[in-house]
Amino acid sequence: MSKKSPKLRIIPLGGLYEVGKNITVIEYNDEIIVIDCGLTFPEEEMLGIDVVIPDITYLLKNREKIKGIVLTHGHEDHIGALPYVLKRINVPVYGTKLTLGLLENKLKEHNIQNAKLHIIKASQSMEIGQFGLEFIRTSHSIPDTVAIAIHTPVGTIVHTGDFKIDFTPINGEVMDFYKFAELGSKGVLLLLADSTNVERAGYTMSEKTVGDTFKDIFMTAKQRIIVATFASNIHRVQQIINAAVIFDRKVAVSGRSMVNVVNVATELGYLNVPEGTLIELNDIGKYPDDKVVVITTGSQGEPMSALARIASSDHKKMDLRPGDLVIISASPIPGNEKTISKVINKLFKKGANVIYEALADVHVSGHACQEELKLIHSLLKPKYFIPVHGEYRHLEQHAKLAEDLGMPRENIFLAENGSVLEFTEESGNIVGSVPSGNILVDGLGVGDVGNIVLRDRKHLSEDGLIVIVVTISKEDGSVIAGPDIVSRGFVYVRESEDLMEEAKRVVRNVLMECEKNHITDWATLKSSIRDALRSFLCENKRNPMILPIIMEI
């Protein structure tokens, strides 16, 4: 009986049913490569959480099989989890020069010095284990972006990464359509393609349209100009600098991530900054207002960002002046609309003029719209398709788009994070699942905050806390002192003295009842206090967290 040939396995551990946290495992014959390793930012209910990274339990269990991590580009949702992952799985990492330059910066912050980083170039081919890889130049909102073709004994997989089709890119390097067509002519088994902008008809505008808008705005502006954008959008930063140079303005940079990215991109040659253009933020007061541009972080209204601090008069190095022109060169990430609106309102109240996406073409997306996606599907002609990088609605819309182009629905897989998909030359199926989900990072703690802790934080944030302190005798269990009640975030004690006295009376009655029945067990005492007080407070439509503390002397 002949031995069955190994199957090709695709396991997305992130990036499905969500925007961000992109990571995909490709496995064949006991060898694994990983495409991207990103993070996402916390949702509103994730109180106190800094970032969210993927659950890599499957990779930890199979670490000896991993041959390398291959990166498509340098955005946080594709490289941001690597510092946390490389501490546990130190495998080779492959990426373009800018991508690894940005990653090195992050690794230094995490004091990781032994990472094995390998620079690759678009149009380069290489082998990692049994996988043959080709890197294909694409366009996105950051330079040095690649799609990846993975050649396996079962067939060729193409992972687009994030991309758009821009015929007039800022760096002049147009997407490599020839390579996509060549792969399609030879046969593609499976396509994994970016779904972020699939709901939008037509084409994404070229990044150069934003540059033209900047020039028009800068031409007539007489005050200081403050432009907020994503730190990683190096093409956008380049166009701001270009417009500043044309109109003889000096450029200062604000925000830690913006400073880091500008430094790395300039050192590596991805930003062209004429000598004498950049000045320190501390020195902007030395120049006339109509000769200054400040590029800053905070385009999503993040509370601790430079723009939010400027709007709140909380920035250490600059104050907003009436008449300052603020350009928010980004569109809101879903869920950030309110925070951005708050910042815009504060800016207007302080007398600034604010231009944002609804008022002018100051932003274009870095992701492909429907017609661009159709072109990639038509060039590659894949047998099977997995839509990636998007919420469920995006994945479903992308599946319908592929179906409209003639792909049988049974060849399209709406997978979830953790799904295990197996492929042969003639078949593809979802065959099971592996652990996946969110690992929450709070300060230096990775994974030590889970659902129970988040639930407690939510409870505290909504209902507050009551602490009851009681001192009892070690000999006979009688109450020596208390109960004393301390509240935080529950009621303003000075205006609720009657309620607090009544709460003390309830606790006192419980303690007397326990003493009468010779109950001295701490656990029983605490649960009795908690139950009685909760019952009393529920009558008053209150539900704080109740924390009894028993001291014995």
Side-chain angles (χ1 to χ4, degrees):
M1 189 172 171
S2 64
K3 190 179 177 184
K4 283 186 180 177
S5 60
K7 289 180 180 171
L8 177 65
R9 302 176 99 203
I10 310 294
I11 308 172
L13 293 179
L16 303 185
Y17 292 21
E18 62 185 349
V19 174
K21 197 162 65 67
N22 300 294
I23 176 171
T24 304
V25 175
I26 298 174
E27 184 174 349
Y28 179 79
N29 198 18
D30 288 338
E31 291 190 346
I32 286 173
I33 59 169
V34 180
I35 307 294
D36 290 333
C37 189
L39 57 72
T40 190
F41 293 99
E43 296 170 9
E44 269 186 39
E45 62 268 22
M46 294 180 179
L47 300 166
I49 299 305
D50 298 320
V51 296
V52 183
I53 62 175
D55 184 338
I56 58 164
T57 302
Y58 184 77
L59 295 179
L60 293 170
K61 284 182 179 176
N62 294 277
R63 68 177 77 208
E64 72 286 348
K65 298 180 182 178
I66 303 171
K67 299 301 174 186
I69 299 172
V70 187
L71 306 175
T72 59
H73 65 285
H75 278 154
E76 288 288 318
D77 56 336
H78 293 260
I79 69 169
L82 273 168
Y84 305 98
V85 171
L86 291 179
K87 285 174 185 175
R88 308 191 70 185
I89 309 171
N90 189 14
V91 297
V93 179
Y94 301 86
T96 54
K97 187 164 72 167
L98 177 63
T99 302
L100 294 187
L102 296 172
L103 174 60
E104 275 187 293
N105 232 23
K106 298 177 72 62
L107 297 180
K108 279 178 192 170
E109 289 177 10
H110 286 257
N111 199 29
I112 297 173
Q113 298 168 350
N114 60 343
K116 307 162 190 170
L117 306 182
H118 302 275
I119 294 175
I120 53 95
K121 293 180 181 177
S123 76
Q124 180 180 336
S125 299
M126 64 182 297
E127 289 186 2
I128 301 178
Q130 296 175 77
F131 303 101
L133 274 65
E134 286 187 86
F135 301 97
I136 311 158
R137 185 174 60 246
T138 58
S139 298
H140 189 40
S141 52
I142 187 171
D144 250 8
T145 306
V146 291
I148 304 169
I150 305 111
H151 301 289
T152 76
V154 175
T156 298
I157 307 164
V158 176
H159 194 307
T160 65
D162 287 351
F163 80 99
K164 66 186 278 188
I165 292 176
D166 191 340
F167 294 106
T168 56
I170 301 306
N171 58 7
E173 296 183 348
V174 178
M175 190 168 174
D176 191 349
F177 299 108
Y178 175 79
K179 177 52 70 176
F180 282 103
E182 184 183 46
L183 288 165
S185 68
K186 291 178 180 177
V188 172
L189 177 72
L190 173 66
L191 171 64
L192 295 93
D194 178 18
S195 308
T196 309
N197 253 2
V198 69
E199 293 175 318
R200 296 188 184 181
Y203 298 86
T204 305
M205 285 196 302
S206 172
E207 179 65 32
K208 279 202 170 170
T209 61
V210 179
D212 294 337
T213 304
F214 283 148
K215 289 172 191 171
D216 292 343
I217 293 170
F218 282 35
M219 186 187 298
T220 56
K222 301 300 180 192
Q223 286 284 7
R224 295 188 305 182
I225 299 173
I226 301 163
V227 188
T229 191
F230 291 111
S232 59
N233 197 337
I234 293 165
H235 291 320
R236 189 72 45 83
V237 173
Q238 182 67 70
Q239 297 204 92
I240 298 165
I241 290 169
N242 292 347
V245 170
I246 289 169
F247 297 102
D248 195 28
R249 286 179 179 259
K250 300 294 183 184
V251 177
V253 180
S254 176
R256 188 169 63 92
S257 59
M258 185 68 76
V259 170
N260 286 342
V261 170
V262 166
N263 286 341
V264 169
T266 305
E267 283 172 22
L268 296 178
Y270 291 90
L271 260 184
N272 177 25
V273 186
E275 196 172 336
T277 300
L278 280 182
I279 60 171
E280 292 295 324
L281 192 60
N282 287 331
D283 294 336
I284 58 175
K286 297 177 182 177
Y287 298 87
D289 286 359
D290 63 351
K291 297 298 178 187
V292 171
V293 175
V294 177
I295 307 174
T296 181
T297 56
S299 62
Q300 295 301 303
E302 307 95 314
M304 297 305 294
S305 67
L307 183 65
R309 294 203 308 271
I310 290 168
S312 301
S313 300
D314 196 27
H315 197 286
K316 290 179 181 177
K317 295 186 178 180
M318 71 175 291
D319 289 315
L320 198 69
R321 296 181 190 163
D324 280 348
L325 175 61
V326 180
I327 303 170
I328 299 178
S329 182
S331 59
I333 293 171
N336 287 355
E337 294 87 354
K338 283 185 179 178
T339 53
I340 294 174
S341 290
K342 283 180 184 176
V343 170
I344 290 172
N345 286 329
K346 284 182 180 178
L347 292 167
F348 273 124
K349 279 183 178 179
K350 291 191 174 295
N353 297 312
V354 188
I355 297 175
Y356 44 97
E357 195 182 21
L359 303 180
D361 292 331
V362 290
H363 176 69
V364 297
S365 175
H367 299 271
C369 290
Q370 289 173 6
E371 297 306 313
E372 298 156 86
L373 293 170
K374 287 177 185 176
L375 177 56
I376 291 301
H377 279 264
S378 301
L379 288 173
L380 291 171
K381 301 186 286 289
K383 184 170 186 177
Y384 299 106
F385 173 50
I386 304 173
V388 295
H389 302 177
E391 297 172 7
Y392 183 81
R393 62 195 172 99
H394 300 114
L395 307 185
E396 177 61 41
Q397 289 294 328
H398 205 167
K400 286 179 179 173
L401 181 144
E403 207 174 350
D404 290 343
L405 291 172
M407 180 174 281
R409 184 70 195 208
E410 60 268 22
N411 287 12
I412 303 167
F413 299 95
L414 286 180
E416 301 178 23
N417 290 337
S419 293
V420 178
L421 299 97
E422 282 190 353
F423 293 91
T424 67
E425 292 177 13
E426 302 300 329
S427 67
N429 294 288
I430 297 177
V431 297
S433 63
V434 301
S436 66
N438 295 332
I439 300 296
L440 309 179
V441 179
D442 182 358
L444 295 175
V446 180
D448 55 359
V449 175
N451 290 333
I452 293 171
V453 174
L454 284 182
R455 186 192 65 199
D456 286 349
R457 288 182 180 183
K458 190 169 188 290
H459 191 175
L460 287 166
S461 72
E462 292 175 350
D463 302 304
L465 169 72
I466 283 184
V467 180
I468 304 103
V469 182
V470 179
T471 307
I472 62 173
S473 167
K474 194 172 187 179
E475 292 179 5
D476 59 8
S478 60
V479 176
I480 296 173
D484 293 316
I485 296 183
V486 179
S487 86
R488 288 291 181 270
F490 171 53
V491 291
Y492 184 48
V493 174
R494 289 184 183 177
E495 293 181 2
S496 306
E497 289 178 358
D498 291 346
L499 178 66
M500 299 304 279
E501 282 302 321
E502 189 63 21
K504 280 186 186 179
R505 186 189 63 75
V506 169
V507 176
R508 209 174 284 121
N509 289 343
V510 171
L511 293 169
M512 287 170 61
E513 191 66 28
C514 288
E515 193 175 335
K516 185 175 158 184
N517 294 320
H518 306 292
I519 295 170
T520 57
D521 173 56
W522 283 18
T524 308
L525 282 170
K526 286 181 178 181
S527 64
S528 300
I529 291 169
R530 199 180 287 115
D531 291 346
L533 194 54
R534 183 177 290 119
S535 178
F536 163 69
L537 292 171
C538 279
E539 292 174 10
N540 289 270
K541 309 295 183 192
R542 301 293 187 117
N543 184 32
M545 185 178 285
I546 298 167
L547 186 64
I549 297 175
I550 309 291
M551 294 192 298
E552 203 175 55
I553 59 171

